[in-house]
């Protein structure tokens, strides 16, 4: 690896400097405040930490891997949301060495971002012929992506950074398969295990990888010449053993995923198209970088005022890319069709455009409706506009190819002329900076709330939440659905006491413990207890931070 990754000391300096700079830029607010605030809010942030703490409890032998301590006593509850497996393993390490839950969560996020930077450099160096300075700068751009920062409330989306590393391993396995089958089998097994674990971590981004790869394979087949098709058939004849072994390992690795997610999908029916259609991107979606972008934020607001729903400021629609990067990406796609023929890069350009176009609305008509029932597992993906965030990987690669052509930068030719494109590279980095503040979790406040909770009664084997914390900071209706459930699942994992409450992308069939302030809430709690024949159930009052031994009564959830 040293021979092609680090050829000089200068390469090492570029790699280390750009990587550290990327982490400092992206986590600048955490580092400045000594982690006084961390990514997330009282909803998505605490839900994520509850999932991470689940894996910490698994590693400590406290919990089974497939059942969280919320939605008690329903089985396979890991399958009602992203599983956070790889995040949870890293988080468990940071917890073991002494970090609290909030610091460990953002240290995990740092690790995921570092993996994304490393993977991009590896792929760019090995398969794009980029010099280390160019690879490091574009890995920096990919790591600090505007859309990634704007959506840091959903830290599982950082797992888009797994894509370059997996693509690198796939390329190594394919290249070695005909002549070095043992090496190919090793990398193939690594790909199989990692992708299966990725699916158990963040299904959306893992599915996006497979979805985009399917289009790439389609266009590779369509664009290949007869000679290239002949070479592909010869490769398959010589490579079926290591690739078959990788496939078998993947099938085995997929069993835990199917164990928890297949029953959940059957119970819930996944997402109907009416729900999915609310999150289809407009044709202008790739331009939408949000009001927090350093360079384009004001323009985004201006466009939103004029285009309305076609340029929504809804957080789930802010998935676009800075306009300079997009322009370079388009230039890179066009340049693929000039000069020396490269089937891979042409196929990548077409796959990027067509796979994105398939998720959009054309004049109000949802193109995605044509794919929704055809593409495997598509109904499991509700917020399909997040695919635009995934596309930062291929678009950044195409932009890098354009810069390499413009600046005549090619490690394979041994030439390096960064000076003509240096101002453009600086501009591409600056336009990724987002000034939003997605750090709404105040560590001291949450730690104090947790520390104020007394020990549960000795006979308390599970609990349900009563009322909500006195500072909802959410719209009333939203608060009554989420606040008590999120706090209950967080307390359950942190204190090791199962709770009847919970909230995820899906809920168990028949479960309905929403609305803590609804007069029917106590009756619904009683029904849930009776349905599962639970005993020794206690209540925890989130407003007063006190436990109750008594069963729910008609006034147990009365608002103050």
């Amino acid at each position: 690896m040293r021979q092609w990754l680090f050829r000089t000391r200068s390469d090492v300096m570029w790699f280390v400097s750009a990587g550290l700079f990327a982490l400092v830029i992206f986590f600048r607010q955490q580092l400045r405040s000594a982690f006084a605030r961390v990514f997330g809010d009282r909803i998505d942030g605490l839900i994520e930490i509850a999932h991470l703490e689940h894996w910490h409890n698994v590693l400590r032998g406290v919990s089974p891997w497939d059942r969280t301590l919320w939605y008690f006593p329903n089985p396979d509850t890991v399958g009602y949301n992203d599983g956070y497996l790889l995040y949870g393993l890293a988080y468990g390490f940071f917890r073991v060495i002494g970090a609290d839950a909030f610091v460990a969560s953002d240290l995990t996020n740092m690790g995921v971002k570092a993996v994304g930077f490393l993977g991009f450099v590896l792929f760019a160096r090995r398969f794009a012929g980029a010099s280390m300075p160019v690879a490091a700068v574009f890995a920096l751009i990919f790591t600090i992506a505007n859309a990634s920062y704007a959506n840091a409330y959903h830290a599982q989306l950082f797992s888009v950074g797994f894509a370059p590393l997996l693509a690198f391993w796939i390329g190594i396995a394919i290249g070695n398969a005909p002549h070095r089958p043992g090496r190919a089998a090793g990398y193939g097994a690594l790909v199989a295990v990692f992708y299966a674990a990725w699916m158990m971590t963040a299904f959306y981004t893992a599915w996006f990888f497979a979805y985009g790869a399917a289009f790439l394979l389609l266009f590779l087949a369509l664009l290949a010449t007869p000679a290239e098709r002949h070479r592909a058939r010869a490769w398959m004849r010589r490579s079926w053993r290591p690739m078959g072994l990788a496939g078998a390992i993947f099938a085995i690795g997929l069993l835990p995923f199917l164990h928890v997610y297949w029953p959940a999908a059957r119970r819930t029916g996944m997402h109907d198209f009416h729900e999915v259609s609310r999150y289809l991107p407009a044709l202008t979606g790739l331009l939408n970088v949000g009001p927090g972008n350093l360079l384009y934020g004001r323009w985004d607001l201006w466009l939103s005022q004029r285009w309305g729903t076609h340029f929504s400021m809804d957080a789930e629609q802010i998935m676009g890319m800075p306009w300079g990067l997009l322009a370079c990406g388009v230039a890179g796609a066009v340049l693929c069709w000039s000069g020396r023929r490269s089937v891979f890069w042409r196929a990548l350009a077409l796959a990027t455009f067509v796979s994105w176009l398939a998720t959009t609305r054309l004049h109000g008509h949802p193109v995605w409706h044509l794919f929704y029932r055809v593409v495997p597992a598509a109904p499991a993906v509700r917020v399909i506009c997040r695919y635009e965030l995934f596309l930062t990987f291929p678009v950044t690669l195409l932009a890098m190819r354009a810069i390499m052509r413009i600046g005549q930068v090619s490690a394979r030719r041994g030439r390096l002329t960064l000076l003509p494109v240096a101002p453009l590279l600086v501009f591409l980095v600056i336009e990724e900076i987002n000034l939003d503040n997605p750090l709404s979790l105040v560590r001291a406040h949450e730690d104090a709330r947790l520390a104020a909770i007394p020990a549960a009664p000795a006979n308390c084997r599970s609990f349900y939440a009563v009322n909500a914390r006195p500072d909802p900071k959410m719209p009333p209706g939203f608060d009554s659905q989420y606040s008590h459930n999120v706090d209950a699942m967080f307390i359950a994992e942190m204190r090791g006491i199962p709770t009847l409450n919970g909230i995820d992308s899906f809920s168990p069939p028949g479960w309905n413990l929403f609305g803590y302030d609804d007069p029917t809430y106590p009756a619904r709690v009683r029904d849930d207890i009776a349905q599962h024949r639970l005993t020794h159930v206690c209540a925890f009052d989130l407003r007063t931070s006190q436990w109750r031994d008594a069963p729910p009564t008609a006034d147990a959830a009365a608002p103050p």
Side-chain angles (χ1 to χ4, degrees):
M1 180 179 292
R2 292 179 181 176
Q3 295 177 353
W4 57 265
L5 183 60
F6 300 119
R7 295 179 177 175
T8 65
R9 291 182 180 179
S10 176
D11 285 350
V12 176
M13 291 181 62
W14 272 101
F15 177 81
V16 173
S17 300
L20 290 177
F21 185 68
L23 295 180
V24 168
I25 288 294
F26 201 85
F27 296 93
R28 59 192 181 275
Q29 298 193 61
Q30 289 93 327
L31 296 173
R32 187 187 307 133
S33 68
F35 292 90
R37 291 176 175 267
V38 297
F39 280 143
D41 57 16
R42 271 203 46 232
I43 301 301
D44 294 304
L46 287 185
I47 289 174
E48 180 193 358
I49 294 175
H51 279 273
L52 297 178
E53 190 66 22
H54 161 71
W55 290 107
H56 180 221
N57 288 329
V58 171
L59 294 174
R60 294 191 301 141
V62 174
S63 299
W65 72 271
D66 57 350
R67 180 180 292 183
T68 62
L69 291 179
W70 60 90
Y71 287 148
F72 181 77
N74 290 281
D76 304 328
T77 48
V78 165
Y80 290 113
N81 202 342
D82 284 327
Y84 290 89
L85 172 59
L86 292 173
Y87 281 46
L89 297 178
Y91 170 91
F93 167 76
F94 292 122
R95 291 284 277 137
V96 166
I97 64 174
D100 72 14
F102 300 96
V103 174
S105 70
D106 259 352
L107 290 176
T108 299
N109 293 332
M110 281 188 174
V112 173
K113 281 293 181 180
V115 168
F117 179 87
L118 171 64
F120 194 98
V121 169
L122 290 172
F123 188 90
R125 291 283 280 157
R126 186 63 180 261
F127 298 111
S131 65
M132 178 56 81
V134 172
V137 170
F138 277 93
L140 162 65
I141 291 169
F142 173 71
T143 303
I144 67 170
N146 171 87
S148 184
Y149 195 86
N151 290 276
Y153 287 108
H154 303 287
Q156 71 270 34
L157 297 180
F158 295 165
S159 60
V160 165
F162 295 157
L165 184 61
L166 188 67
F168 169 75
W169 286 336
I170 290 172
I172 295 295
I174 290 173
N176 281 277
H179 308 294
R180 303 178 69 181
R183 182 178 173 86
Y187 274 99
L190 185 61
V191 167
V193 172
F194 185 79
Y195 188 67
W198 185 2
M199 293 183 71
M200 276 290 296
T201 300
F203 177 76
Y204 269 43
T205 55
W207 185 88
F208 290 154
F209 185 92
Y211 170 73
F215 277 92
L216 178 61
L217 289 173
L218 172 64
F219 285 111
L220 281 172
L222 292 176
L223 295 175
T225 64
E228 288 166 336
R229 293 192 183 99
H230 175 75
R231 287 196 295 270
R233 288 192 292 269
W235 178 90
M236 287 187 282
R237 285 195 299 270
R238 286 182 289 180
S239 307
W240 67 270
R241 287 184 178 87
M243 296 299 100
L245 176 62
I249 293 173
F250 176 67
I252 296 171
L254 203 59
L255 292 178
F257 174 85
L258 295 175
H259 170 72
V260 293
Y261 283 99
W262 179 250
R266 294 183 62 186
R267 295 186 198 114
T268 62
M270 298 185 282
H271 303 290
D272 61 41
F273 189 77
H274 175 74
E275 185 179 10
V276 172
S277 64
R278 294 163 46 202
Y279 299 100
L280 298 179
L283 284 176
T284 54
L286 281 179
L287 298 172
N288 192 350
V289 294
N293 183 269
L294 176 64
L295 298 186
Y296 309 115
R298 294 179 182 178
W299 289 102
D300 256 37
L301 288 172
W302 183 82
L303 290 172
S304 180
Q305 291 169 0
R306 280 151 182 79
W307 292 352
T309 57
H310 296 289
F311 208 86
S312 172
M313 288 293 101
D314 181 274
E316 295 287 10
Q317 294 288 346
I318 300 174
M319 299 286 171
M321 287 168 248
W323 306 346
L325 181 70
L326 270 179
C328 289
V330 171
V334 172
L335 289 171
C336 289
W337 299 87
S338 64
R340 190 175 63 179
R341 175 183 169 81
S342 174
V343 174
F344 173 81
W345 292 102
R346 293 180 182 183
L348 180 67
L350 286 173
T352 299
F353 175 71
V354 175
S355 64
W356 166 74
L357 190 66
T359 67
T360 63
R361 294 178 183 272
L362 287 176
H363 302 292
H365 301 289
V367 182
W368 186 240
H369 194 270
L370 301 174
F371 296 85
Y372 172 75
R373 292 294 181 188
V374 177
V375 179
V381 180
R382 179 172 59 103
V383 190
I384 191 64
C385 58
R386 291 177 178 173
Y387 183 60
E388 292 177 339
L389 176 58
F390 177 85
L391 291 179
T392 56
F393 174 41
V395 170
T396 304
L397 282 175
L398 291 169
M400 183 184 70
R401 294 276 294 182
I403 295 299
M404 289 169 63
R405 289 285 295 272
I406 294 170
Q408 296 182 330
V409 179
S410 175
R412 288 173 297 184
R413 296 177 184 177
R415 292 189 298 176
L416 177 62
T417 54
L418 269 179
L419 189 59
V421 294
L424 179 55
L425 292 176
V426 172
F427 175 78
L428 292 177
V429 171
I430 292 174
E431 70 171 356
E432 294 289 352
I433 296 176
N434 192 293
L435 301 180
D436 280 342
N437 184 27
L439 295 87
S440 297
L441 275 178
V442 181
R443 180 180 159 207
H445 179 67
E446 298 299 332
D447 280 340
R449 280 192 57 83
L450 192 62
I453 298 174
N459 65 341
C460 183
R461 297 180 183 174
S462 61
F463 76 97
Y464 63 94
V466 174
N467 294 313
R469 63 166 76 186
D471 53 343
K473 298 180 182 177
M474 289 179 284
F478 193 78
D479 180 74
S480 69
Q481 301 295 306
Y482 282 85
S483 183
H484 65 301
N485 283 316
V486 172
D487 281 336
M489 60 195 286
F490 178 70
I491 292 168
E493 291 293 345
M494 297 303 296
R495 290 300 182 90
I497 307 173
T499 181
L500 283 59
N501 296 91
I503 193 159
D504 272 323
S505 297
F506 299 100
S507 300
W511 182 93
N512 183 16
L513 296 186
F514 297 113
Y516 68 86
D517 52 356
D518 190 287
T520 65
Y521 180 71
R524 285 183 276 122
V525 171
R526 287 196 299 270
D527 291 344
D528 196 75
I529 292 173
Q531 177 187 352
H532 295 103
R533 300 180 180 180
L534 300 177
T535 59
H536 302 288
V537 180
C538 59
F540 182 71
D541 192 323
L542 290 163
R543 188 172 69 236
T544 64
S545 291
Q546 296 297 318
W547 297 96
R548 300 180 185 176
D549 286 318
T553 59
D555 62 347

